Short mmCIF file of all heavy atoms in Angstrom, two decimals:
data_model
loop_
_atom_site.label_atom_id
_atom_site.label_comp_id
_atom_site.label_asym_id
_atom_site.label_seq_id
_atom_site.Cartn_x
_atom_site.Cartn_y
_atom_site.Cartn_z
N LEU W 183 14.47 3.96 -35.47
CA LEU W 183 14.71 5.39 -35.65
C LEU W 183 13.40 6.14 -35.83
O LEU W 183 13.14 7.15 -35.17
CB LEU W 183 15.64 5.62 -36.83
CG LEU W 183 15.98 7.10 -37.14
CD1 LEU W 183 16.72 7.72 -35.97
CD2 LEU W 183 16.83 7.18 -38.42
N VAL W 184 12.55 5.63 -36.73
CA VAL W 184 11.26 6.27 -36.98
C VAL W 184 10.40 6.24 -35.71
O VAL W 184 9.80 7.26 -35.32
CB VAL W 184 10.52 5.57 -38.13
CG1 VAL W 184 9.08 6.09 -38.24
CG2 VAL W 184 11.26 5.80 -39.44
N GLY W 185 10.38 5.09 -35.04
CA GLY W 185 9.58 4.97 -33.82
C GLY W 185 10.04 5.91 -32.72
O GLY W 185 9.22 6.52 -32.03
N THR W 186 11.35 6.03 -32.56
CA THR W 186 11.88 6.88 -31.49
C THR W 186 11.63 8.36 -31.78
O THR W 186 11.14 9.11 -30.91
CB THR W 186 13.39 6.64 -31.32
OG1 THR W 186 13.62 5.27 -30.99
CG2 THR W 186 13.96 7.52 -30.21
N VAL W 187 11.97 8.80 -33.00
CA VAL W 187 11.78 10.21 -33.35
C VAL W 187 10.30 10.59 -33.27
O VAL W 187 9.95 11.63 -32.70
CB VAL W 187 12.34 10.49 -34.75
CG1 VAL W 187 11.98 11.90 -35.21
CG2 VAL W 187 13.85 10.31 -34.76
N TRP W 188 9.45 9.74 -33.85
CA TRP W 188 8.01 10.05 -33.81
C TRP W 188 7.47 9.95 -32.39
O TRP W 188 6.53 10.67 -32.03
CB TRP W 188 7.25 9.10 -34.73
CG TRP W 188 5.96 9.68 -35.22
CD1 TRP W 188 4.70 9.31 -34.86
CD2 TRP W 188 5.81 10.76 -36.14
NE1 TRP W 188 3.76 10.08 -35.50
CE2 TRP W 188 4.41 10.98 -36.30
CE3 TRP W 188 6.72 11.56 -36.85
CZ2 TRP W 188 3.92 11.97 -37.15
CZ3 TRP W 188 6.21 12.53 -37.69
CH2 TRP W 188 4.84 12.74 -37.83
N GLY W 189 8.09 9.11 -31.57
CA GLY W 189 7.63 8.97 -30.19
C GLY W 189 7.78 10.26 -29.40
O GLY W 189 6.92 10.60 -28.59
N PHE W 190 8.86 10.99 -29.61
CA PHE W 190 9.02 12.27 -28.92
C PHE W 190 7.92 13.24 -29.33
O PHE W 190 7.39 14.00 -28.51
CB PHE W 190 10.40 12.88 -29.24
CG PHE W 190 11.54 12.21 -28.55
CD1 PHE W 190 12.45 11.43 -29.25
CD2 PHE W 190 11.73 12.34 -27.18
CE1 PHE W 190 13.51 10.80 -28.62
CE2 PHE W 190 12.77 11.72 -26.53
CZ PHE W 190 13.66 10.94 -27.25
N PHE W 191 7.54 13.22 -30.61
CA PHE W 191 6.53 14.14 -31.11
C PHE W 191 5.16 13.83 -30.55
O PHE W 191 4.45 14.72 -30.08
CB PHE W 191 6.51 14.08 -32.64
CG PHE W 191 5.38 14.85 -33.26
CD1 PHE W 191 5.28 16.23 -33.11
CD2 PHE W 191 4.40 14.20 -34.02
CE1 PHE W 191 4.24 16.94 -33.68
CE2 PHE W 191 3.36 14.90 -34.59
CZ PHE W 191 3.28 16.28 -34.42
N ILE W 192 4.73 12.55 -30.57
CA ILE W 192 3.37 12.23 -30.14
C ILE W 192 3.19 12.32 -28.63
O ILE W 192 2.06 12.42 -28.15
CB ILE W 192 2.93 10.84 -30.66
CG1 ILE W 192 3.81 9.73 -30.07
CG2 ILE W 192 2.91 10.79 -32.17
CD1 ILE W 192 3.36 8.33 -30.50
N HIS W 193 4.30 12.29 -27.88
CA HIS W 193 4.20 12.48 -26.43
C HIS W 193 4.28 13.95 -26.04
O HIS W 193 4.01 14.31 -24.88
CB HIS W 193 5.31 11.71 -25.71
CG HIS W 193 5.08 10.25 -25.63
ND1 HIS W 193 5.50 9.36 -26.61
CD2 HIS W 193 4.46 9.47 -24.69
CE1 HIS W 193 5.16 8.14 -26.28
NE2 HIS W 193 4.52 8.16 -25.12
N ALA W 194 4.69 14.79 -26.97
CA ALA W 194 4.92 16.20 -26.65
C ALA W 194 3.63 16.89 -26.21
O ALA W 194 2.52 16.54 -26.64
CB ALA W 194 5.53 16.92 -27.85
N ASN W 195 3.78 17.89 -25.39
CA ASN W 195 2.66 18.71 -24.89
C ASN W 195 2.34 19.75 -25.96
O ASN W 195 2.64 20.94 -25.83
CB ASN W 195 3.05 19.37 -23.57
CG ASN W 195 1.92 20.22 -23.01
OD1 ASN W 195 0.76 20.09 -23.39
ND2 ASN W 195 2.28 21.13 -22.11
N LEU W 196 1.72 19.29 -27.06
CA LEU W 196 1.39 20.15 -28.19
C LEU W 196 -0.08 19.98 -28.53
O LEU W 196 -0.52 18.91 -28.94
CB LEU W 196 2.24 19.79 -29.42
CG LEU W 196 3.74 20.00 -29.27
CD1 LEU W 196 4.48 19.46 -30.50
CD2 LEU W 196 4.07 21.47 -29.07
N ARG W 197 -0.85 21.04 -28.34
CA ARG W 197 -2.29 20.99 -28.62
C ARG W 197 -2.55 21.35 -30.07
O ARG W 197 -3.20 22.34 -30.39
CB ARG W 197 -3.03 21.93 -27.65
CG ARG W 197 -3.02 21.46 -26.20
CD ARG W 197 -3.74 20.12 -26.09
NE ARG W 197 -3.65 19.55 -24.78
CZ ARG W 197 -4.70 19.40 -23.95
NH1 ARG W 197 -5.89 19.82 -24.31
NH2 ARG W 197 -4.56 18.83 -22.77
N TRP W 198 -2.03 20.52 -30.96
CA TRP W 198 -2.20 20.71 -32.40
C TRP W 198 -3.13 19.63 -32.96
O TRP W 198 -3.08 18.48 -32.52
CB TRP W 198 -0.86 20.63 -33.14
CG TRP W 198 0.08 21.75 -32.88
CD1 TRP W 198 -0.21 22.95 -32.32
CD2 TRP W 198 1.49 21.77 -33.16
NE1 TRP W 198 0.92 23.73 -32.25
CE2 TRP W 198 1.98 23.04 -32.76
CE3 TRP W 198 2.37 20.86 -33.73
CZ2 TRP W 198 3.31 23.40 -32.90
CZ3 TRP W 198 3.69 21.20 -33.88
CH2 TRP W 198 4.17 22.46 -33.47
N ARG W 199 -3.93 20.00 -33.94
CA ARG W 199 -4.72 19.01 -34.69
C ARG W 199 -4.33 19.12 -36.17
O ARG W 199 -3.97 20.19 -36.65
CB ARG W 199 -6.22 19.29 -34.51
CG ARG W 199 -6.70 19.18 -33.06
CD ARG W 199 -6.34 17.83 -32.42
NE ARG W 199 -6.96 16.70 -33.07
CZ ARG W 199 -8.04 16.08 -32.60
NH1 ARG W 199 -8.63 16.50 -31.50
NH2 ARG W 199 -8.54 15.04 -33.24
N PHE W 200 -4.41 18.00 -36.89
CA PHE W 200 -3.86 17.93 -38.24
C PHE W 200 -4.90 17.51 -39.28
O PHE W 200 -4.52 17.15 -40.39
CB PHE W 200 -2.69 16.96 -38.27
CG PHE W 200 -1.51 17.44 -37.46
CD1 PHE W 200 -1.42 17.15 -36.10
CD2 PHE W 200 -0.50 18.16 -38.05
CE1 PHE W 200 -0.34 17.57 -35.35
CE2 PHE W 200 0.59 18.61 -37.32
CZ PHE W 200 0.67 18.31 -35.97
N GLY W 201 -6.18 17.58 -38.95
CA GLY W 201 -7.21 17.33 -39.93
C GLY W 201 -7.13 15.93 -40.53
O GLY W 201 -6.90 14.94 -39.82
N PRO W 202 -7.29 15.82 -41.87
CA PRO W 202 -7.28 14.50 -42.53
C PRO W 202 -5.99 13.73 -42.32
O PRO W 202 -5.97 12.50 -42.43
CB PRO W 202 -7.48 14.87 -44.01
CG PRO W 202 -8.15 16.20 -43.99
CD PRO W 202 -7.59 16.91 -42.80
N LEU W 203 -4.89 14.43 -42.04
CA LEU W 203 -3.61 13.74 -41.83
C LEU W 203 -3.67 12.79 -40.65
O LEU W 203 -2.91 11.81 -40.60
CB LEU W 203 -2.50 14.78 -41.61
CG LEU W 203 -1.06 14.27 -41.59
CD1 LEU W 203 -0.70 13.63 -42.93
CD2 LEU W 203 -0.09 15.39 -41.26
N GLU W 204 -4.61 13.04 -39.72
CA GLU W 204 -4.72 12.18 -38.54
C GLU W 204 -5.24 10.79 -38.89
O GLU W 204 -5.14 9.88 -38.07
CB GLU W 204 -5.63 12.84 -37.51
CG GLU W 204 -5.03 14.13 -36.93
CD GLU W 204 -5.92 14.79 -35.89
OE1 GLU W 204 -7.14 14.51 -35.89
OE2 GLU W 204 -5.40 15.57 -35.08
N TRP W 205 -5.77 10.62 -40.10
CA TRP W 205 -6.16 9.28 -40.55
C TRP W 205 -4.94 8.47 -40.97
O TRP W 205 -4.98 7.24 -40.99
CB TRP W 205 -7.11 9.40 -41.75
CG TRP W 205 -8.51 9.77 -41.37
CD1 TRP W 205 -8.96 10.99 -40.94
CD2 TRP W 205 -9.65 8.90 -41.35
NE1 TRP W 205 -10.30 10.94 -40.67
CE2 TRP W 205 -10.76 9.69 -40.92
CE3 TRP W 205 -9.85 7.57 -41.66
CZ2 TRP W 205 -12.03 9.15 -40.80
CZ3 TRP W 205 -11.13 7.05 -41.55
CH2 TRP W 205 -12.20 7.82 -41.12
N LEU W 206 -3.84 9.14 -41.31
CA LEU W 206 -2.68 8.48 -41.88
C LEU W 206 -1.59 8.20 -40.86
O LEU W 206 -0.95 7.14 -40.90
CB LEU W 206 -2.11 9.34 -43.03
CG LEU W 206 -3.05 9.61 -44.18
CD1 LEU W 206 -2.38 10.54 -45.20
CD2 LEU W 206 -3.48 8.32 -44.86
N VAL W 207 -1.32 9.14 -39.96
CA VAL W 207 -0.22 9.00 -39.01
C VAL W 207 -0.67 9.36 -37.60
O VAL W 207 -1.61 10.15 -37.43
CB VAL W 207 1.00 9.86 -39.41
CG1 VAL W 207 1.60 9.39 -40.72
CG2 VAL W 207 0.62 11.33 -39.47
N ALA W 208 0.00 8.79 -36.62
CA ALA W 208 -0.29 9.10 -35.22
C ALA W 208 0.14 10.53 -34.92
O ALA W 208 1.15 11.03 -35.44
CB ALA W 208 0.45 8.14 -34.31
N THR W 209 -0.63 11.21 -34.10
CA THR W 209 -0.38 12.60 -33.73
C THR W 209 -0.43 12.73 -32.21
O THR W 209 -0.83 11.79 -31.51
CB THR W 209 -1.43 13.52 -34.36
OG1 THR W 209 -2.74 13.14 -33.85
CG2 THR W 209 -1.42 13.40 -35.88
N PRO W 210 -0.04 13.89 -31.66
CA PRO W 210 -0.16 14.06 -30.20
C PRO W 210 -1.57 13.81 -29.68
O PRO W 210 -1.73 13.15 -28.65
CB PRO W 210 0.27 15.52 -30.00
CG PRO W 210 1.25 15.78 -31.10
CD PRO W 210 0.70 15.03 -32.28
N ALA W 211 -2.59 14.30 -30.37
CA ALA W 211 -3.97 14.08 -29.90
C ALA W 211 -4.29 12.58 -29.85
O ALA W 211 -4.88 12.08 -28.89
CB ALA W 211 -4.96 14.81 -30.80
N PHE W 212 -3.91 11.86 -30.89
CA PHE W 212 -4.14 10.42 -30.96
C PHE W 212 -3.49 9.71 -29.78
O PHE W 212 -4.11 8.89 -29.12
CB PHE W 212 -3.57 9.90 -32.29
CG PHE W 212 -3.58 8.40 -32.44
CD1 PHE W 212 -4.69 7.75 -32.94
CD2 PHE W 212 -2.45 7.65 -32.13
CE1 PHE W 212 -4.69 6.36 -33.09
CE2 PHE W 212 -2.44 6.28 -32.29
CZ PHE W 212 -3.56 5.62 -32.76
N HIS W 213 -2.23 10.05 -29.50
CA HIS W 213 -1.52 9.32 -28.45
C HIS W 213 -1.88 9.82 -27.04
O HIS W 213 -1.82 9.05 -26.09
CB HIS W 213 -0.02 9.41 -28.65
CG HIS W 213 0.75 8.39 -27.86
ND1 HIS W 213 0.69 7.05 -28.14
CD2 HIS W 213 1.54 8.51 -26.77
CE1 HIS W 213 1.43 6.37 -27.28
NE2 HIS W 213 1.95 7.23 -26.42
N HIS W 214 -2.26 11.08 -26.92
CA HIS W 214 -2.68 11.56 -25.60
C HIS W 214 -3.92 10.82 -25.14
O HIS W 214 -4.08 10.55 -23.95
CB HIS W 214 -2.93 13.08 -25.65
CG HIS W 214 -1.67 13.89 -25.60
ND1 HIS W 214 -1.55 15.05 -24.87
CD2 HIS W 214 -0.47 13.70 -26.19
CE1 HIS W 214 -0.33 15.54 -25.00
NE2 HIS W 214 0.34 14.74 -25.81
N TRP W 215 -4.80 10.45 -26.08
CA TRP W 215 -5.97 9.64 -25.69
C TRP W 215 -5.55 8.26 -25.23
O TRP W 215 -6.22 7.65 -24.39
CB TRP W 215 -6.97 9.55 -26.84
CG TRP W 215 -7.97 10.66 -26.80
CD1 TRP W 215 -8.05 11.75 -27.61
CD2 TRP W 215 -9.03 10.81 -25.85
NE1 TRP W 215 -9.09 12.57 -27.24
CE2 TRP W 215 -9.70 12.02 -26.16
CE3 TRP W 215 -9.47 10.05 -24.77
CZ2 TRP W 215 -10.81 12.46 -25.42
CZ3 TRP W 215 -10.56 10.49 -24.04
CH2 TRP W 215 -11.21 11.68 -24.37
#
Side-chain angles (χ1 to χ4, degrees):
L183 180 62
V184 171
T186 300
V187 172
W188 205 251
F190 286 109
F191 172 63
I192 63 177
H193 284 89
N195 180 19
L196 297 174
R197 291 298 174 113
W198 291 344
R199 299 305 297 259
F200 294 87
L203 189 61
E204 294 180 339
W205 283 73
L206 301 176
V207 294
T209 62
F212 173 86
H213 196 69
H214 281 221
W215 270 107

